[in-house]
Amino acid sequence: MSLDSSESVPLWLLYEHELDAWRAGQPAPVGRWLGMQNFKAEKHRVVLLPDSSGGLGAAVCGLGRRQGELSLWHTAGLVERLPPRRFCLAQEFSPAEATQVCLGFAYGSYRFERYRPAKSEAASLDAAPNADMQFVALAAESLRMARDWINTPAADLGPVEFAAAAQRLGERHQAAYREWVGDELAANFPAIHAVGRASSEAPRLVELRWTAPSTRPLPRLTLVGKGVCFDSGGLDIKPGSGMALMKKDMGGAAVALALAHMLMSAKLQVQLRVLIPMVENAISGNAYRPGDVLRTRKGLTVEVGNTDAEGRLVLCDALALADAEQPDLIIDFATLTGAARVALGPELPALFGNDDALVQELARTAALEHDPLWPMPLWLGYEDELASKIADMNNVASSTLAGAIFGALFLKRFVSESTPWLHVDLFAWNSKDRPGRSIGAEAQAVRGVYRYLMKRYASPPQ
């Protein structure tokens, strides 16, 4: 029997240790064909099985050695290895694993097509009956949204365009939108203004406010994202190699907005506030300088030790605004330090917070979602490294070591000790081609933090 081109093709997903038993239950020609292909169920290895008429009868894909649960990364790389046909799972998985399989296909089918169309169509997977397809669809859309923003060059996604995108997102969810622009920032958000004033596109602080339908008072949740749409380094200018990826320096903002989209879509029982400082760290006659002393919204003065440590300066004003409401939780996302990448590499965002139990719980939940966050110490013994002789603090440390910790310690000064606060220092980029993850934007932390927040706010407070 041959499959019509509109029919779904059966897809088998096998670990290495499962292959022999599976082959034993198949017709002899299938076993011989796999032997001829030297198929051993290696991860991301694909073999197509012909039907009796020479058409496509099924596909067998390797999952490699079993190491924990099946995740989206097992199947994201299959999309580009399979022909552009519809497939359906030929075996049953648990609901959690079926959800990951379907999400992997959705994630792996991403193509950034703003400037050129995809060269070919991608394989797709029919919904598994026991998968949480509502989550799959929402996560896929949100991750695509964030990756599109991060991949877009600053010429087409500067502060003006990015703010417009945030406003459209707010309108979609009937969220209140507000922005402070240009000279409006000077008095109330002087650090944001200082960093962004040299650009031809005025700096701005964007705010979204949304409250879930409810008959009871809801906890306040605030997300803050670093929205540096391009970072030249300022007068402490980066070398060309250092500037090459700086269109992605708004990755924290993209993650915060994508996460907000998921939370609003899921009607999470909170009062949600999103704060995004959007700037370009450019160079002109009015650029802020090394040695300048900036006043911040909180009233603390900051000596500028380096203009290329601008992310913490725009975040500090936004965090001070967030903290003034004393929310139940503040989470900020930022492509803040290269030191975090030196310590953990590109795949592990660094996680800091002022409550160790909170940090550990988020890390555990994110790991279960296969969206890892790695707890790092907010080591208070290093705070004196941020001292200044003429201001309350410096924006960079006197030491060249522990850079990710210094960045987090700087931000900590702008959040009250009584306000639970989490800081995610992420890379937001794939620097090499991997199965299902080509070079380009990576929306890290969105799924893991979403799962954590859905769990945290699932039930009314007792």
Side-chain angles (χ1 to χ4, degrees):
M1 177 181 176
S2 298
L3 289 171
D4 183 87
S5 60
S6 64
E7 292 184 80
S8 298
V9 178
L11 175 68
W12 294 91
L13 302 175
L14 301 174
Y15 288 104
E16 290 178 6
H17 73 274
E18 297 173 325
L19 180 60
D20 288 343
W22 181 83
R23 282 181 61 174
Q26 301 303 309
V30 171
R32 289 195 297 271
W33 179 251
L34 291 175
M36 290 177 61
Q37 301 293 323
N38 196 30
F39 179 74
K40 298 178 182 178
E42 307 96 316
K43 191 174 181 180
H44 298 127
R45 178 82 188 280
V46 172
V47 170
L48 302 178
L49 303 179
D51 60 20
S52 58
S53 65
L56 180 57
V60 185
C61 300
L63 300 174
R65 295 182 181 178
R66 178 147 199 158
Q67 297 176 323
E69 290 186 343
L70 193 61
S71 80
L72 76 163
W73 305 122
H74 284 91
T75 57
L78 300 179
V79 176
E80 59 201 30
R81 289 165 165 75
L82 289 165
R85 290 282 301 275
R86 285 174 48 227
F87 291 84
C88 61
L89 292 178
Q91 71 228 78
E92 290 187 4
F93 292 97
S94 70
E97 291 193 325
T99 300
Q100 289 293 317
V101 167
C102 292
L103 181 58
F105 264 78
Y107 195 90
S109 66
Y110 172 81
R111 303 290 185 272
F112 183 56
E113 298 180 308
R114 178 162 182 164
Y115 303 104
R116 68 177 184 185
K119 295 180 181 179
S120 62
E121 295 183 13
S124 63
L125 184 68
D126 291 347
N130 62 339
D132 183 354
M133 294 307 298
Q134 185 175 359
F135 169 75
V136 170
L138 180 56
E141 180 189 24
S142 302
L143 297 173
R144 180 179 296 274
M145 186 184 297
R147 294 168 85 186
D148 277 350
W149 285 328
I150 296 167
N151 278 324
T152 301
D156 291 325
L157 196 77
V160 172
E161 296 85 0
F162 200 16
Q167 185 172 13
R168 289 192 296 272
L169 180 65
E171 291 170 351
R172 179 171 172 179
H173 294 282
Q174 291 80 53
Y177 176 85
R178 182 180 180 183
E179 63 178 5
W180 295 263
V181 182
D183 290 341
E184 291 182 82
L185 296 165
N188 295 312
F189 307 99
I192 297 174
H193 181 266
V195 172
R197 71 192 181 202
S199 173
S200 59
E201 289 195 21
R204 59 206 64 218
L205 175 62
V206 164
E207 177 191 65
L208 292 177
R209 283 186 181 270
W210 173 89
T211 301
S214 178
T215 58
R216 61 181 176 87
L218 297 176
R220 297 177 183 269
L221 167 66
T222 301
L223 308 179
V224 180
K226 174 187 169 184
V228 178
C229 296
F230 190 81
D231 181 19
S232 69
L235 289 172
D236 286 310
I237 191 169
K238 295 176 182 287
S241 59
M243 256 190 273
L245 292 182
M246 284 303 99
K247 68 177 183 179
K248 78 168 185 68
D249 212 19
M250 37 61 68
V255 163
L257 288 169
L259 174 60
H261 172 57
M262 292 192 73
L263 299 175
M264 291 186 288
S265 298
K267 301 294 188 289
L268 182 69
Q269 294 296 290
V270 295
Q271 298 179 67
L272 178 64
R273 189 184 195 189
V274 184
L275 295 170
I276 310 289
M278 296 181 177
V279 303
E280 179 184 4
N281 188 19
I283 298 172
S284 70
N286 68 338
Y288 78 120
R289 296 164 288 258
D292 284 355
V293 175
L294 306 181
R295 294 193 177 275
T296 65
R297 180 177 179 82
K298 189 169 183 177
L300 294 173
T301 54
V302 178
E303 182 182 5
V304 179
N306 193 307
T307 63
D308 195 22
E310 84 300 330
R312 63 199 68 182
L313 294 174
V314 300
L315 285 173
C316 76
D317 276 353
L319 286 171
L321 177 64
D323 184 62
E325 283 193 346
Q326 295 186 307
D328 182 67
L329 178 63
I330 298 173
I331 310 177
D332 78 72
F333 304 89
T335 51
L336 200 71
T337 66
R341 310 289 75 76
V342 173
L344 299 175
E347 294 185 36
L348 290 177
L351 174 62
F352 297 86
N354 59 5
D355 183 322
D356 286 343
L358 198 64
V359 168
Q360 295 299 329
E361 178 62 21
L362 173 54
R364 282 192 295 269
T365 305
L368 292 174
E369 185 51 42
H370 311 284
D371 191 18
L373 299 169
W374 202 261
M376 295 282 279
L378 196 64
W379 187 251
L380 301 182
Y382 291 159
E383 281 194 306
D384 61 346
E385 297 281 357
L386 292 169
S388 165
K389 293 186 180 299
I390 60 172
D392 291 319
M393 59 194 305
N394 203 300
N395 76 323
V396 293
S398 55
S399 171
T400 59
L401 305 176
I405 298 176
F406 291 133
L409 287 172
F410 181 94
L411 297 179
K412 172 185 169 292
R413 295 285 299 273
F414 297 87
V415 179
S416 304
E417 290 185 10
S418 60
T419 302
W421 163 69
L422 294 164
H423 162 59
V424 181
D425 188 339
L426 46 80
F427 191 47
W429 195 259
N430 285 317
S431 53
K432 65 178 182 180
D433 274 318
R434 290 172 292 172
R437 291 184 277 183
S438 59
I439 292 174
E442 180 70 272
Q444 295 168 314
V446 175
R447 294 175 294 110
V449 177
Y450 170 81
R451 290 294 197 191
Y452 169 75
L453 293 174
M454 293 298 290
K455 178 181 176 182
R456 179 183 176 98
Y457 297 109
S459 303
Q462 300 299 314

